[in-house]
């Protein structure tokens, strides 16, 4: 799904590592590093659209496949990841809520 089509009410799941998240993330995103997903599956909603994002789309594509295999239906990959998110001018903040950057 193109990042420009991700609606405000969509649950944005950021699966990048802690340092990537701290440097810059979408203000409304929920952080759940990819490697922690199996232990924290219950945190991912099943009753609404979920868009999964990483830096460029590779890790998030793996997470989307994992979620689909575990029963999620309303889950999509954010094409181009946070790099594309920032490139189209969507907001990026750091761990302190200040303007961030995608690393």
């Amino acid at each position: 799904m193109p990042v420009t089509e991700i609606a405000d009410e969509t649950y944005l799941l950021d699966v990048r590592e802690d340092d990537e998240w701290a440097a810059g993330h979408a203000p409304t995103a929920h952080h759940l590093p990819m490697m922690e997903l199996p232990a924290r599956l219950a945190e991912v909603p099943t009753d609404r659209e979920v868009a999964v994002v990483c830096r460029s789309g590779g890790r998030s594509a793996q997470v989307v496949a994992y979620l689909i295999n575990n029963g999620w239906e309303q889950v999509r990959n954010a094409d181009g990841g946070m790099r594309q998110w920032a490139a189209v001018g969507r907001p990026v903040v750091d761990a302190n809520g200040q303007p961030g950057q995608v690393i």
Side-chain angles (χ1 to χ4, degrees), residues 13-90:
L13 179 63
D14 190 323
V15 297
R16 297 175 301 146
E17 296 300 317
D18 292 339
D19 61 332
E20 294 173 291
W21 169 265
H25 58 271
T28 60
H30 302 269
H31 187 222
L32 200 170
M34 180 175 154
M35 299 311 289
E36 296 178 23
L37 181 66
R40 297 173 59 189
L41 264 180
E43 295 178 35
V44 183
T46 57
D47 61 348
R48 62 194 265 210
E49 182 84 20
V50 175
V52 185
V53 67
C54 65
R55 180 175 38 229
S56 60
R59 286 174 284 179
S60 54
Q62 293 176 40
V63 168
V64 166
Y66 183 83
L67 289 172
I68 289 170
N69 286 337
N70 281 278
W72 272 256
E73 295 176 3
Q74 300 180 81
V75 60
R76 304 286 179 270
N77 191 19
D79 298 337
M82 283 303 298
R83 287 184 174 162
Q84 183 64 22
W85 181 276
V88 300
R90 297 201 73 170

